[in-house]
Amino acid sequence: MSPYLRVFTRGGFALALCVALAACGSSGSGSSGSSSTPGVTATSVTIGSHQPLTGVAAPGYDEIAPASKAFFAYINANGGINGRKINYIYKDDAYDPTQTVSVVKSLVLQTGVFGIFNGLGTPTHTKVVSFLNANKVPDLFVASGCLCWNEPTTAPYTFGWQTDYTREGKILGQYIAQHFAGKKVGYFLQDDDFGMNGEKGLDDEIPASSVVSRQFYQPGNIAVGPQIAALKAAGVQVLVNFTVPAYTALEELTAFKLGFHPQVVTSNVGSDPLTLAALLASYSKGAAGGSLINGMISDTYLPPFSETGNAWVQLFTKVHAQYDASAPLDGNVEYGMAAAYTFVAALKAAGKNLTRQSIVNAVQTANLAGPGLVPYAYSPTDHSGFIGVQLSTISDNAVHPFGTPLTTDDGTGPITPYTTPQPTPSSTGVLP
Amino acid sequence: MTELSSAPAGDNLSASPPTGTAAATPAPPRRRVRDSALIRHLAITALAGVVLWLLSLWLTPFNDLRLANGAYYFVTLAGLTLLTGLSGQISLGQGGLVAAGAYTSALLMANNHWALIPALVASVVVASLVGGLLGIAAARLRGPYLAGATLAFALALPGITDRFAGTFGGENGITTNAPVPPTSLGANFSPERWQAWIACLAALVVLLLLLNLSRAGTGRTLRAVRDDEVAASLCGINVARTQVSAFVVSAACAGVGGALYVEISNLAAPDAFAVTLSLSLLAGVVLGGLGSLAGAVYGSIVLVLLPNWSTDLANDLSLNQQVSSNLPLAFYGLVLIIAMLAAPRGIQGVVLTVTRWLRSLRAGPPDTLTPAASTPGRIDTDTSTGGEG
């Protein structure tokens, strides 16, 4: 009955608290460098990302980060960039904003990455932009076409990459207005900035009187029957999807079951034919497949894998065969590699003395060129990526571009054809 | 505290010199210290505050963030342990109440630009109201029916955010600005440390209030109702009212937790308050030790660290992504099963057993004078206390 022991008992939990926190305190320390740039050594640069490896957005999108990693492995095998090998750490956030926050904070504060590369998703990445910019962490080439990444004054470290949804919506909208004049148009949109930005572009070109129904879905809620039924009831003849692949597939299957057969137009991010074919087969237990989406209209800003004569397609096919052969040769893989290429080009332009600021400066001023059918918008006052798209149709599980690439702005500017030929990659994947 | 009879220097958090001397001095001073529970509780809180403050200074920003998360879990678990351990009602709906608090704070801060503290108070009010309504329904239910009703609440609440996406932002959630440390702390003061300070301060206030509440008449009434409703009502206690008030107090704690969650993550989104949150909170109180505030501390440490360990384990095993992303939950379940078999009274139970064993080594066999009344490690007791000692 020693009073000391009794007091000790009571102090037990305080002690446990100290021990537990001491354990994690020491394990986490030493991750961030002192005066040097975090994540950068003479021989390596470590970057991180949040990706939907599981959850509603995973089908298709889970191929992107492995493809990027494969491209980095190819670059590393060829000596790296400025003597540095690229170490790419991507973590699953399940397309859940809550998890994005914790994953990104752990990458930046605990792992001590140099920057975040190609963080995927509009609802997810919007939650970490202010954190990354407050910590002056380069936030390069966000895998989303939200306008939110082009805020150079409030988010100077954040850069978009793919064509933004408003530009894309304008180009798709103009095509619909010209080729389906007088038809009843309906929208099926993700209920966040992804859908809203696309809607803004579409509304810019399609007369408001033509749009008879606007339906929204919440990612995660897979019951889309009411929305599709409402579109059918409104007599929609042209249906525009700004959807992730899983919801394009759900829309197609539900419409098919309801005997609803509009002309479907789908945003690039939700239209990869191989991904959709696999999803359709999976959701319908094999009853449906890629034939359901034959004739779908979409767009692309990268040369599709079907154009086997294209030098970029050849480069990516080679890297795929060497480092990522287990993945299908589809739009997601090309997306991951093309984004990785852009990072590699920026890293090269940032020079030997790599800092967080130097790579931001490089992206803004180096006139990066890459695998796009259209150029990037990057400048000190513009952080959006590709400035347009080329229209395409989907048939036989492949993307078939038609017409010339079109460019525009994210305001009310005109849509103009872009005829400059693509740059070509060097043999090692980096422009000389 | 079961009774105060043999408690000397109180629930001090460590063997600091003043308490040691107080405990060693003869009867009159002991009596004085014993009678002033409030002073003792203030001392505990102050000491905990100093420990947390020193910790926050020493930790890296990422671990400061974990500390803040620990404070969020502690507040929520403390409310739940009061409800389940002290009043004997089980709730699988605590996550829903946290969501009510979080959305209140996020909406007021994002739309109406409220400051943190008023938003926190509003969160407490809203969560208490929701908890009161839940409590009125719950007071009519027992055992599995109560568990089922609260579980339904936890399942349904996130769905409301999708149904009224215009107000609650749907799956996208509501984003708030991160609290900015005052400039007087210096330009390089990490925002994570500031977040940890705010969260820990709120946790300390909750700790002080709950210490007093469980010691005061309210705590005794709750225990009386928990142990025997008939006997309690024969003593003149309004059983239903007592049970509802336990729900309200626990909901108020969840409201603080929700506000702290928004303060730490700057986000209120439905996935954060899925039913897994309610289940992991219940697992937290059980693993920590049901019915004691010390158990809530252990539980919050477990909830902060366990997911990290299990994620690391999953990564080290380099499994298929579909497997490894589910492994942390499975690991969680496994730990819970092992704990139920090996230490059914949680970590706090283990601590008590070990110290009692040490004490018996010191005092020798005749030491049978340690009945339930002298389990000083417990800030209050639970149903299983009677069997030991």
Side-chain angles (χ1 to χ4, degrees), chain A residues 355-370:
Chain A
T355 65
R356 283 175 162 174
Q357 192 59 50
S358 76
I359 199 161
V360 166
N361 294 346
V363 178
Q364 288 184 151
T365 57
N367 281 323
L368 299 179

Side-chain angles (χ1 to χ4, degrees), chain B residues 156-184:
Chain B
L157 215 67
I160 293 176
T161 61
D162 279 359
R163 178 67 186 77
F164 302 101
T167 311
F168 298 111
E171 292 294 319
N172 195 29
I174 303 165
T175 318
T176 64
N177 293 322
V180 182
T183 45
S184 57

Side-chain angles (χ1 to χ4, degrees), chain A residues 252-273:
Chain A
E252 286 291 309
L253 279 177
T254 313
F256 184 77
K257 278 186 212 158
L258 294 173
F260 173 42
H261 305 289
Q263 169 63 51
V264 177
V265 179
T266 302
S267 153
N268 172 281
V269 294
S271 69
D272 181 66

Side-chain angles (χ1 to χ4, degrees), chain B residues 17-378:
Chain B
T19 51
T21 45
T25 44
R30 285 175 65 175
R31 188 177 184 79
R32 219 171 349 104
V33 175
R34 187 183 69 199
D35 287 347
S36 58
L38 178 63
I39 290 176
R40 199 163 54 235
H41 294 161
L42 279 170
I44 295 171
T45 312
L47 200 63
V50 170
V51 169
L52 289 172
W53 177 65
L54 291 173
L55 260 177
S56 77
L57 293 183
W58 174 65
L59 291 174
T60 60
F62 184 68
N63 286 316
D64 271 332
L65 203 61
R66 282 179 169 171
L67 185 63
N69 266 311
Y72 148 64
Y73 279 126
F74 169 74
V75 168
T76 317
L77 292 183
L80 189 56
T81 212
L82 178 122
L83 181 71
T84 308
L86 214 55
S87 94
Q89 304 180 88
I90 192 164
S91 171
L92 292 171
Q94 207 68 4
L97 297 169
V98 176
Y103 271 93
T104 306
S105 259
L107 283 170
L108 290 173
M109 289 170 80
N111 297 346
N112 305 338
H113 307 289
W114 281 37
L116 187 83
I117 290 173
L120 193 146
V121 173
S123 290
V124 172
V125 171
V126 170
S128 304
L129 286 174
V130 176
L133 290 175
L134 187 63
I136 289 169
R140 298 164 181 271
L141 299 170
R142 294 291 176 272
Y145 304 102
L146 177 56
T150 50
L151 181 63
F153 172 74
L155 277 169
L157 215 67
I160 293 176
T161 61
D162 279 359
R163 178 67 186 77
F164 302 101
T167 311
F168 298 111
E171 292 294 319
N172 195 29
I174 303 165
T175 318
T176 64
N177 293 322
V180 182
T183 45
S184 57
L185 290 169
N188 290 324
F189 192 86
S190 90
E192 288 76 21
R193 185 171 296 158
W194 181 240
Q195 288 176 315
W197 281 13
I198 296 172
C200 288
L201 188 67
L204 290 171
V205 171
V206 169
L207 173 69
L208 180 65
L209 293 176
L210 289 187
L211 277 173
N212 283 317
L213 184 130
S214 66
R215 178 68 59 90
T218 320
R220 281 193 293 277
T221 313
L222 287 172
R223 277 187 288 273
V225 169
R226 176 198 67 196
D227 290 341
D228 193 330
E229 290 184 16
V230 176
S233 60
L234 283 174
C235 295
I237 295 171
N238 184 333
V239 172
R241 186 188 299 160
T242 307
Q243 288 178 331
V244 174
S245 65
F247 251 100
V248 171
V249 172
S250 139
C253 293
V256 177
L260 290 184
Y261 179 84
V262 170
E263 186 258 333
I264 297 162
S265 302
N266 312 312
L267 170 69
D271 284 324
F273 313 109
V275 75
T276 44
L277 173 67
S278 296
L279 296 179
S280 63
L281 288 173
L282 197 64
V285 286
V286 171
L287 284 175
L290 198 58
S292 90
L293 288 174
V297 174
Y298 300 129
S300 56
I301 294 171
V302 168
L303 287 186
V304 169
L305 295 184
L306 197 62
N308 280 296
W309 289 340
S310 54
T311 307
D312 289 348
L313 180 73
N315 289 343
D316 290 346
L317 295 174
S318 58
L319 295 164
N320 170 295
Q321 188 63 43
Q322 297 293 338
V323 177
S324 68
S325 68
N326 286 307
L327 198 64
L329 276 177
F331 187 59
Y332 220 48
L334 190 69
V335 169
L336 200 57
I337 292 170
I338 292 171
M340 284 298 91
L341 292 173
R345 284 179 299 116
I347 298 170
Q348 173 66 355
V350 173
V351 171
L352 285 180
T353 311
V354 168
T355 47
R356 188 163 301 120
W357 176 72
L358 285 174
R359 200 182 304 153
S360 70
L361 282 186
R362 275 270 176 109
D367 182 11
T368 51
L369 298 171
T370 49
S374 67
T375 49
R378 312 197 75 84

Side-chain angles (χ1 to χ4, degrees), chain A residues 302-322:
Chain A
L302 296 173
F305 273 122
S306 54
E307 294 186 354
T308 48
N310 185 293
W312 294 96
V313 168
Q314 287 165 355
L315 170 68
F316 294 149
T317 309
K318 183 174 80 175
V319 176
H320 173 268
Q322 245 177 310

